[in-house]
Amino acid sequence: MSTPQSAPASNSKGPVPLDWMPGLMQNAKFDLVSGFIIFLIALPLCLGISIASGAPPISGVLTAIVGGILGAVLSGSHLTINGPAAGMIVVVFGVFMSLADVPGDPTTGYKYALAVGVVCGLIQIVLGLVGAGAMTNMFNLSVVHGMLAGIGLIVLGKQVHVALGSSAAKLTMVQTYGQIPAALGKMMADPMLQKVALIGFIAIFIMAIWPSMGKIAPVLGKIAKLLPAPLVIMLITVPLAASFGLDKKYLVNVPLNFMDSFVFPDWSKIGMGIFWKGVFIYVFVASLESLLTASAVDKLDPWKRQSNMNRELVGKGAANALVSFIGGLPMIAEVVRSSANIMNGARTRWSNIFHGVFLLLAVAMIPVVLNMIPLAALAGMLVVIGFRLAHPKEFAHVAHIGKEELFFMVATTLGVVFVDLLWGVIGGMVLAMVVNLMRGVPIANLFSAKTTIETRGETIVVGMQGAHGFNNYLGVRKKLEKLPLGKTVTIDFAKATFIDHTVRDRLNDFKNEYAAKSGGKGGVTIQNTAHLQASSHHEFSALVSAKA
């Protein structure tokens, strides 16, 4: 998951905003403006993600409407924006393909996948109620980055074809990239496809250059802050498509009557193993991405509010069950829209609700305008998003942490791209555990960590003994969450023999969260690491016993 930009420092002033109805009265002028801007960003992206997933264009908009309204009301977070995401395209498309009645035609698996989404939502509710919100602590961070990079490469390759006026729906990934030159040749020979490709190129160019407009000229930077890139793309490409007289097959097609948008699940494949594999993948990826996003957005929150991760699962589950029942895609808390929400001055969950209301008004009142949007423009936006997920700097950052972390990330990426998302992640996790075993983690210590807690007046000493890796951190985290606030907490590594990168990064998160929750009283320090060797110069690289 790419790290969102930092929020402006000016937002950090003032008391913590109120929530619920008092929060509406207090912060409406901020949340309404941000909600409208996020609506402008979300609308074209929702349409594009739907089409890339093999679903009707309106399905992603339904997801953002229900996620924005119901999801925000039940959410455990304050500033996240719910909706369909590029990170779920590969997951949804894969489930569609696996359930399709016609091999190679994902649209014939759509209604069956809606049933998968309903079950996914119900399971997420149960997971939230039983306290599974801490599940993100179970995963190696480099494997998660590898999963997202793999998704990005798949989205990038598939959408290049759409931006050129062709399709890669039935192609393997090797074929998808291998046939890009053929798609370019076909475009060069067809005047209509040349017009389509021009629109796709314009979208790619604007999405790529828009974040850097301020470096080109300060005035352009101010314009870029006022007008989000997706809106600018729509303002340019919609009139251009009309002037080109593009065929309808190159344009969005949403129902003119909003009530015709609703499609209901087909439950006839619920007894098949492939159905339940789809449920597992939906639950795994949607829950993991949502919780990771909520955690990332908490770090950007100017008031450092902490999300209730269990409630976050319940909220996403309820919204997923409902939207899948009426024809929508699975939703997550989406990191780019959420960070943009903060950058635009949002203060409470009402910005999420407002963005959902604006989307509802748009599809109900101006469907004719939506049907003028060229598919190539939506594909161009997704090409850039896919590239950002798999950006070389993401691999360079992980390589800086440690060679072994880069190995986990690359292996996971390749597995996701060339095998399967689920098996790619499983393979990455297994490799990471094997490497941890090779670096000194005893088999008996693989899933349980030795941790002691001792209270000395106002000081609490947490003794980390033996080996600590991502695979056994969950139990440690549960103990840390039970510590009373406002104390001086010392995490002592004197008897530790190994701490991997994921654990060090998670402990730093706990350090910041504890300080925020304690309101400046008390804090967390980490000590006695001198006997351990760092695997790289990165501040959170793995620490290995010098004797190993």
PDB file of all heavy atoms in Angstrom, residues 5-6 37 51 79 93 100 105 110 118 139 168 171 175 181 228 246 257 260 266 274 281 327 331 345 360 384 419 478:
ATOM      1  N   GLN A   5       0.232  11.080   1.447  1.00  0.00           N
ATOM      2  CA  GLN A   5       0.977  12.277   1.785  1.00  0.00           C
ATOM      3  C   GLN A   5       0.598  12.774   3.173  1.00  0.00           C
ATOM      4  O   GLN A   5      -0.451  12.479   3.704  1.00  0.00           O
ATOM      5  CB  GLN A   5       0.690  13.388   0.767  1.00  0.00           C
ATOM      6  CG  GLN A   5       1.073  13.011  -0.658  1.00  0.00           C
ATOM      7  CD  GLN A   5       0.690  14.093  -1.638  1.00  0.00           C
ATOM      8  OE1 GLN A   5       0.220  15.155  -1.253  1.00  0.00           O
ATOM      9  NE2 GLN A   5       0.891  13.834  -2.912  1.00  0.00           N
ATOM     10  N   SER A   6       1.505  13.549   3.753  1.00  0.00           N
ATOM     11  CA  SER A   6       1.240  14.093   5.086  1.00  0.00           C
ATOM     12  C   SER A   6       0.164  15.163   5.025  1.00  0.00           C
ATOM     13  O   SER A   6       0.042  15.915   4.063  1.00  0.00           O
ATOM     14  CB  SER A   6       2.518  14.702   5.666  1.00  0.00           C
ATOM     15  OG  SER A   6       3.520  13.726   5.786  1.00  0.00           O
ATOM     16  N   ILE A  37     -15.443  17.402  -3.100  1.00  0.00           N
ATOM     17  CA  ILE A  37     -14.218  17.177  -3.872  1.00  0.00           C
ATOM     18  C   ILE A  37     -13.954  15.682  -4.043  1.00  0.00           C
ATOM     19  O   ILE A  37     -13.582  15.216  -5.129  1.00  0.00           O
ATOM     20  CB  ILE A  37     -13.022  17.868  -3.179  1.00  0.00           C
ATOM     21  CG1 ILE A  37     -13.207  19.398  -3.203  1.00  0.00           C
ATOM     22  CG2 ILE A  37     -11.712  17.483  -3.862  1.00  0.00           C
ATOM     23  CD1 ILE A  37     -12.179  20.155  -2.399  1.00  0.00           C
ATOM     24  N   ILE A  51     -15.766  -1.297 -14.587  1.00  0.00           N
ATOM     25  CA  ILE A  51     -15.559  -1.833 -15.937  1.00  0.00           C
ATOM     26  C   ILE A  51     -14.333  -2.742 -15.964  1.00  0.00           C
ATOM     27  O   ILE A  51     -14.359  -3.823 -16.558  1.00  0.00           O
ATOM     28  CB  ILE A  51     -15.423  -0.678 -16.946  1.00  0.00           C
ATOM     29  CG1 ILE A  51     -16.737   0.127 -17.012  1.00  0.00           C
ATOM     30  CG2 ILE A  51     -15.048  -1.198 -18.325  1.00  0.00           C
ATOM     31  CD1 ILE A  51     -16.610   1.463 -17.691  1.00  0.00           C
ATOM     32  N   LEU A  79     -11.936   9.344   9.222  1.00  0.00           N
ATOM     33  CA  LEU A  79     -11.652  10.103   8.003  1.00  0.00           C
ATOM     34  C   LEU A  79     -11.451   9.243   6.760  1.00  0.00           C
ATOM     35  O   LEU A  79     -11.117   9.762   5.704  1.00  0.00           O
ATOM     36  CB  LEU A  79     -10.398  10.977   8.218  1.00  0.00           C
ATOM     37  CG  LEU A  79     -10.549  12.082   9.276  1.00  0.00           C
ATOM     38  CD1 LEU A  79      -9.200  12.745   9.544  1.00  0.00           C
ATOM     39  CD2 LEU A  79     -11.571  13.124   8.847  1.00  0.00           C
ATOM     40  N   PHE A  93     -12.333  -9.464 -10.458  1.00  0.00           N
ATOM     41  CA  PHE A  93     -12.284 -10.043 -11.802  1.00  0.00           C
ATOM     42  C   PHE A  93     -12.002 -11.543 -11.736  1.00  0.00           C
ATOM     43  O   PHE A  93     -12.607 -12.340 -12.459  1.00  0.00           O
ATOM     44  CB  PHE A  93     -11.207  -9.332 -12.622  1.00  0.00           C
ATOM     45  CG  PHE A  93     -11.128  -9.788 -14.056  1.00  0.00           C
ATOM     46  CD1 PHE A  93     -11.979  -9.258 -15.014  1.00  0.00           C
ATOM     47  CD2 PHE A  93     -10.195 -10.744 -14.449  1.00  0.00           C
ATOM     48  CE1 PHE A  93     -11.912  -9.676 -16.341  1.00  0.00           C
ATOM     49  CE2 PHE A  93     -10.116 -11.169 -15.761  1.00  0.00           C
ATOM     50  CZ  PHE A  93     -10.980 -10.631 -16.709  1.00  0.00           C
ATOM     51  N   ALA A 100     -17.823 -17.884 -13.851  1.00  0.00           N
ATOM     52  CA  ALA A 100     -18.490 -17.581 -15.125  1.00  0.00           C
ATOM     53  C   ALA A 100     -19.110 -18.824 -15.756  1.00  0.00           C
ATOM     54  O   ALA A 100     -18.520 -19.901 -15.752  1.00  0.00           O
ATOM     55  CB  ALA A 100     -17.503 -16.938 -16.094  1.00  0.00           C
ATOM     56  N   ASP A 105     -15.557 -15.154 -20.069  1.00  0.00           N
ATOM     57  CA  ASP A 105     -16.463 -14.005 -20.058  1.00  0.00           C
ATOM     58  C   ASP A 105     -16.840 -13.689 -18.611  1.00  0.00           C
ATOM     59  O   ASP A 105     -17.746 -14.301 -18.045  1.00  0.00           O
ATOM     60  CB  ASP A 105     -17.727 -14.303 -20.872  1.00  0.00           C
ATOM     61  CG  ASP A 105     -18.647 -13.093 -20.972  1.00  0.00           C
ATOM     62  OD1 ASP A 105     -18.338 -12.047 -20.353  1.00  0.00           O
ATOM     63  OD2 ASP A 105     -19.682 -13.197 -21.654  1.00  0.00           O
ATOM     64  N   TYR A 110     -21.012 -12.526 -12.837  1.00  0.00           N
ATOM     65  CA  TYR A 110     -21.339 -11.354 -12.014  1.00  0.00           C
ATOM     66  C   TYR A 110     -22.378 -11.648 -10.932  1.00  0.00           C
ATOM     67  O   TYR A 110     -22.161 -11.375  -9.748  1.00  0.00           O
ATOM     68  CB  TYR A 110     -21.799 -10.232 -12.951  1.00  0.00           C
ATOM     69  CG  TYR A 110     -22.463  -9.048 -12.295  1.00  0.00           C
ATOM     70  CD1 TYR A 110     -21.833  -8.340 -11.283  1.00  0.00           C
ATOM     71  CD2 TYR A 110     -23.721  -8.612 -12.724  1.00  0.00           C
ATOM     72  CE1 TYR A 110     -22.437  -7.235 -10.700  1.00  0.00           C
ATOM     73  CE2 TYR A 110     -24.334  -7.509 -12.154  1.00  0.00           C
ATOM     74  CZ  TYR A 110     -23.684  -6.829 -11.144  1.00  0.00           C
ATOM     75  OH  TYR A 110     -24.292  -5.742 -10.565  1.00  0.00           O
ATOM     76  N   VAL A 118     -22.165 -10.954  -0.549  1.00  0.00           N
ATOM     77  CA  VAL A 118     -23.077 -10.940   0.605  1.00  0.00           C
ATOM     78  C   VAL A 118     -22.499 -11.788   1.732  1.00  0.00           C
ATOM     79  O   VAL A 118     -22.456 -11.360   2.897  1.00  0.00           O
ATOM     80  CB  VAL A 118     -24.475 -11.460   0.210  1.00  0.00           C
ATOM     81  CG1 VAL A 118     -25.356 -11.594   1.452  1.00  0.00           C
ATOM     82  CG2 VAL A 118     -25.136 -10.529  -0.804  1.00  0.00           C
ATOM     83  N   PHE A 139       0.536 -10.296   9.318  1.00  0.00           N
ATOM     84  CA  PHE A 139       1.103 -10.359   7.978  1.00  0.00           C
ATOM     85  C   PHE A 139       2.433  -9.618   7.867  1.00  0.00           C
ATOM     86  O   PHE A 139       2.592  -8.509   8.388  1.00  0.00           O
ATOM     87  CB  PHE A 139       0.107  -9.788   6.967  1.00  0.00           C
ATOM     88  CG  PHE A 139      -1.167 -10.576   6.885  1.00  0.00           C
ATOM     89  CD1 PHE A 139      -2.279 -10.206   7.623  1.00  0.00           C
ATOM     90  CD2 PHE A 139      -1.241 -11.711   6.110  1.00  0.00           C
ATOM     91  CE1 PHE A 139      -3.446 -10.942   7.572  1.00  0.00           C
ATOM     92  CE2 PHE A 139      -2.401 -12.463   6.049  1.00  0.00           C
ATOM     93  CZ  PHE A 139      -3.507 -12.077   6.781  1.00  0.00           C
ATOM     94  N   ALA A 168      -8.075  -6.995 -23.046  1.00  0.00           N
ATOM     95  CA  ALA A 168      -7.169  -8.070 -22.641  1.00  0.00           C
ATOM     96  C   ALA A 168      -7.856  -8.995 -21.649  1.00  0.00           C
ATOM     97  O   ALA A 168      -7.186  -9.712 -20.907  1.00  0.00           O
ATOM     98  CB  ALA A 168      -5.901  -7.475 -22.030  1.00  0.00           C
ATOM     99  N   LEU A 171      -6.856 -12.720 -21.845  1.00  0.00           N
ATOM    100  CA  LEU A 171      -5.437 -13.003 -22.012  1.00  0.00           C
ATOM    101  C   LEU A 171      -4.768 -13.326 -20.679  1.00  0.00           C
ATOM    102  O   LEU A 171      -5.147 -12.801 -19.637  1.00  0.00           O
ATOM    103  CB  LEU A 171      -4.725 -11.792 -22.636  1.00  0.00           C
ATOM    104  CG  LEU A 171      -5.244 -11.292 -23.992  1.00  0.00           C
ATOM    105  CD1 LEU A 171      -4.431 -10.079 -24.435  1.00  0.00           C
ATOM    106  CD2 LEU A 171      -5.180 -12.394 -25.039  1.00  0.00           C
ATOM    107  N   GLN A 175       0.578 -12.950 -22.070  1.00  0.00           N
ATOM    108  CA  GLN A 175      -0.047 -12.493 -23.313  1.00  0.00           C
ATOM    109  C   GLN A 175      -0.443 -11.030 -23.234  1.00  0.00           C
ATOM    110  O   GLN A 175      -0.316 -10.283 -24.214  1.00  0.00           O
ATOM    111  CB  GLN A 175      -1.288 -13.346 -23.610  1.00  0.00           C
ATOM    112  CG  GLN A 175      -0.999 -14.795 -23.957  1.00  0.00           C
ATOM    113  CD  GLN A 175      -2.258 -15.635 -24.021  1.00  0.00           C
ATOM    114  OE1 GLN A 175      -3.265 -15.320 -23.385  1.00  0.00           O
ATOM    115  NE2 GLN A 175      -2.211 -16.721 -24.780  1.00  0.00           N
ATOM    116  N   PRO A 181       2.336  -4.525 -28.219  1.00  0.00           N
ATOM    117  CA  PRO A 181       2.760  -4.027 -29.547  1.00  0.00           C
ATOM    118  C   PRO A 181       1.712  -4.283 -30.632  1.00  0.00           C
ATOM    119  O   PRO A 181       1.495  -3.424 -31.508  1.00  0.00           O
ATOM    120  CB  PRO A 181       4.045  -4.816 -29.818  1.00  0.00           C
ATOM    121  CG  PRO A 181       4.580  -5.138 -28.461  1.00  0.00           C
ATOM    122  CD  PRO A 181       3.368  -5.406 -27.625  1.00  0.00           C
ATOM    123  N   PRO A 228      -9.256  18.408  -8.874  1.00  0.00           N
ATOM    124  CA  PRO A 228      -8.603  17.096  -8.867  1.00  0.00           C
ATOM    125  C   PRO A 228      -8.414  16.565 -10.281  1.00  0.00           C
ATOM    126  O   PRO A 228      -9.198  16.861 -11.196  1.00  0.00           O
ATOM    127  CB  PRO A 228      -9.576  16.227  -8.066  1.00  0.00           C
ATOM    128  CG  PRO A 228     -10.891  16.924  -8.128  1.00  0.00           C
ATOM    129  CD  PRO A 228     -10.570  18.385  -8.222  1.00  0.00           C
ATOM    130  N   LEU A 246     -17.314   9.220 -31.057  1.00  0.00           N
ATOM    131  CA  LEU A 246     -16.955   7.848 -30.707  1.00  0.00           C
ATOM    132  C   LEU A 246     -18.179   6.940 -30.692  1.00  0.00           C
ATOM    133  O   LEU A 246     -19.265   7.344 -30.267  1.00  0.00           O
ATOM    134  CB  LEU A 246     -16.273   7.804 -29.333  1.00  0.00           C
ATOM    135  CG  LEU A 246     -14.879   8.427 -29.190  1.00  0.00           C
ATOM    136  CD1 LEU A 246     -14.324   8.113 -27.811  1.00  0.00           C
ATOM    137  CD2 LEU A 246     -13.934   7.921 -30.268  1.00  0.00           C
ATOM    138  N   ASN A 257     -32.613   4.950 -15.944  1.00  0.00           N
ATOM    139  CA  ASN A 257     -33.493   4.873 -14.776  1.00  0.00           C
ATOM    140  C   ASN A 257     -32.693   4.254 -13.635  1.00  0.00           C
ATOM    141  O   ASN A 257     -32.267   3.098 -13.711  1.00  0.00           O
ATOM    142  CB  ASN A 257     -34.720   4.019 -15.095  1.00  0.00           C
ATOM    143  CG  ASN A 257     -35.686   3.932 -13.927  1.00  0.00           C
ATOM    144  OD1 ASN A 257     -35.393   4.378 -12.815  1.00  0.00           O
ATOM    145  ND2 ASN A 257     -36.862   3.353 -14.159  1.00  0.00           N
ATOM    146  N   ASP A 260     -33.157   0.744 -12.363  1.00  0.00           N
ATOM    147  CA  ASP A 260     -32.683  -0.366 -13.194  1.00  0.00           C
ATOM    148  C   ASP A 260     -31.237  -0.756 -12.857  1.00  0.00           C
ATOM    149  O   ASP A 260     -30.713  -1.728 -13.416  1.00  0.00           O
ATOM    150  CB  ASP A 260     -32.771   0.008 -14.681  1.00  0.00           C
ATOM    151  CG  ASP A 260     -34.214   0.170 -15.155  1.00  0.00           C
ATOM    152  OD1 ASP A 260     -35.094  -0.421 -14.519  1.00  0.00           O
ATOM    153  OD2 ASP A 260     -34.434   0.893 -16.150  1.00  0.00           O
ATOM    154  N   ASP A 266     -27.328 -14.413  -7.473  1.00  0.00           N
ATOM    155  CA  ASP A 266     -27.732 -15.766  -7.860  1.00  0.00           C
ATOM    156  C   ASP A 266     -26.992 -16.723  -6.922  1.00  0.00           C
ATOM    157  O   ASP A 266     -25.765 -16.784  -6.920  1.00  0.00           O
ATOM    158  CB  ASP A 266     -27.345 -16.031  -9.323  1.00  0.00           C
ATOM    159  CG  ASP A 266     -27.860 -17.384  -9.826  1.00  0.00           C
ATOM    160  OD1 ASP A 266     -27.920 -18.334  -9.024  1.00  0.00           O
ATOM    161  OD2 ASP A 266     -28.189 -17.472 -11.018  1.00  0.00           O
ATOM    162  N   ILE A 274     -15.459 -23.558  -5.450  1.00  0.00           N
ATOM    163  CA  ILE A 274     -14.949 -22.328  -6.049  1.00  0.00           C
ATOM    164  C   ILE A 274     -15.676 -21.108  -5.492  1.00  0.00           C
ATOM    165  O   ILE A 274     -15.110 -20.020  -5.410  1.00  0.00           O
ATOM    166  CB  ILE A 274     -15.074 -22.399  -7.594  1.00  0.00           C
ATOM    167  CG1 ILE A 274     -14.189 -21.335  -8.245  1.00  0.00           C
ATOM    168  CG2 ILE A 274     -16.508 -22.275  -8.043  1.00  0.00           C
ATOM    169  CD1 ILE A 274     -12.725 -21.598  -8.092  1.00  0.00           C
ATOM    170  N   ILE A 281     -11.177 -15.267  -0.453  1.00  0.00           N
ATOM    171  CA  ILE A 281     -10.328 -14.226  -1.044  1.00  0.00           C
ATOM    172  C   ILE A 281     -10.931 -12.850  -0.801  1.00  0.00           C
ATOM    173  O   ILE A 281     -10.219 -11.896  -0.448  1.00  0.00           O
ATOM    174  CB  ILE A 281     -10.135 -14.484  -2.552  1.00  0.00           C
ATOM    175  CG1 ILE A 281      -9.340 -15.778  -2.768  1.00  0.00           C
ATOM    176  CG2 ILE A 281      -9.421 -13.323  -3.213  1.00  0.00           C
ATOM    177  CD1 ILE A 281      -9.210 -16.184  -4.211  1.00  0.00           C
ATOM    178  N   GLY A 327     -26.324  -5.349  -6.132  1.00  0.00           N
ATOM    179  CA  GLY A 327     -25.589  -5.300  -7.395  1.00  0.00           C
ATOM    180  C   GLY A 327     -24.267  -4.584  -7.381  1.00  0.00           C
ATOM    181  O   GLY A 327     -23.689  -4.353  -8.450  1.00  0.00           O
ATOM    182  N   MET A 331     -16.328  -3.424  -1.173  1.00  0.00           N
ATOM    183  CA  MET A 331     -15.711  -2.133  -0.842  1.00  0.00           C
ATOM    184  C   MET A 331     -14.596  -2.311   0.170  1.00  0.00           C
ATOM    185  O   MET A 331     -14.549  -3.294   0.911  1.00  0.00           O
ATOM    186  CB  MET A 331     -16.746  -1.171  -0.274  1.00  0.00           C
ATOM    187  CG  MET A 331     -17.118  -1.438   1.175  1.00  0.00           C
ATOM    188  SD  MET A 331     -18.422  -0.350   1.736  1.00  0.00           S
ATOM    189  CE  MET A 331     -19.751  -0.810   0.634  1.00  0.00           C
ATOM    190  N   GLY A 345      -9.226  19.065   4.125  1.00  0.00           N
ATOM    191  CA  GLY A 345      -9.744  19.679   5.340  1.00  0.00           C
ATOM    192  C   GLY A 345     -10.869  18.954   6.039  1.00  0.00           C
ATOM    193  O   GLY A 345     -11.501  19.520   6.935  1.00  0.00           O
ATOM    194  N   LEU A 360     -24.994   9.594  -5.183  1.00  0.00           N
ATOM    195  CA  LEU A 360     -26.383   9.164  -5.371  1.00  0.00           C
ATOM    196  C   LEU A 360     -27.140  10.168  -6.229  1.00  0.00           C
ATOM    197  O   LEU A 360     -27.867   9.790  -7.163  1.00  0.00           O
ATOM    198  CB  LEU A 360     -27.062   8.997  -4.007  1.00  0.00           C
ATOM    199  CG  LEU A 360     -28.557   8.663  -4.027  1.00  0.00           C
ATOM    200  CD1 LEU A 360     -28.808   7.346  -4.753  1.00  0.00           C
ATOM    201  CD2 LEU A 360     -29.099   8.608  -2.600  1.00  0.00           C
ATOM    202  N   VAL A 384      -2.275   4.653 -14.568  1.00  0.00           N
ATOM    203  CA  VAL A 384      -1.380   5.384 -13.661  1.00  0.00           C
ATOM    204  C   VAL A 384      -1.495   4.854 -12.240  1.00  0.00           C
ATOM    205  O   VAL A 384      -0.485   4.709 -11.530  1.00  0.00           O
ATOM    206  CB  VAL A 384      -1.691   6.896 -13.707  1.00  0.00           C
ATOM    207  CG1 VAL A 384      -0.818   7.657 -12.704  1.00  0.00           C
ATOM    208  CG2 VAL A 384      -1.468   7.433 -15.110  1.00  0.00           C
ATOM    209  N   VAL A 419       0.660 -16.628 -10.987  1.00  0.00           N
ATOM    210  CA  VAL A 419      -0.038 -17.800 -10.457  1.00  0.00           C
ATOM    211  C   VAL A 419      -1.450 -17.434 -10.048  1.00  0.00           C
ATOM    212  O   VAL A 419      -2.419 -17.734 -10.748  1.00  0.00           O
ATOM    213  CB  VAL A 419       0.736 -18.431  -9.270  1.00  0.00           C
ATOM    214  CG1 VAL A 419       0.019 -19.695  -8.788  1.00  0.00           C
ATOM    215  CG2 VAL A 419       2.170 -18.767  -9.677  1.00  0.00           C
ATOM    216  N   LYS A 478      -1.669  -8.101  21.447  1.00  0.00           N
ATOM    217  CA  LYS A 478      -2.823  -8.200  22.340  1.00  0.00           C
ATOM    218  C   LYS A 478      -2.431  -7.842  23.782  1.00  0.00           C
ATOM    219  O   LYS A 478      -3.188  -7.187  24.502  1.00  0.00           O
ATOM    220  CB  LYS A 478      -3.421  -9.604  22.278  1.00  0.00           C
ATOM    221  CG  LYS A 478      -4.149  -9.906  20.978  1.00  0.00           C
ATOM    222  CD  LYS A 478      -4.752 -11.302  20.980  1.00  0.00           C
ATOM    223  CE  LYS A 478      -5.529 -11.561  19.696  1.00  0.00           C
ATOM    224  NZ  LYS A 478      -6.118 -12.934  19.666  1.00  0.00           N
TER     225      LYS A 478
END
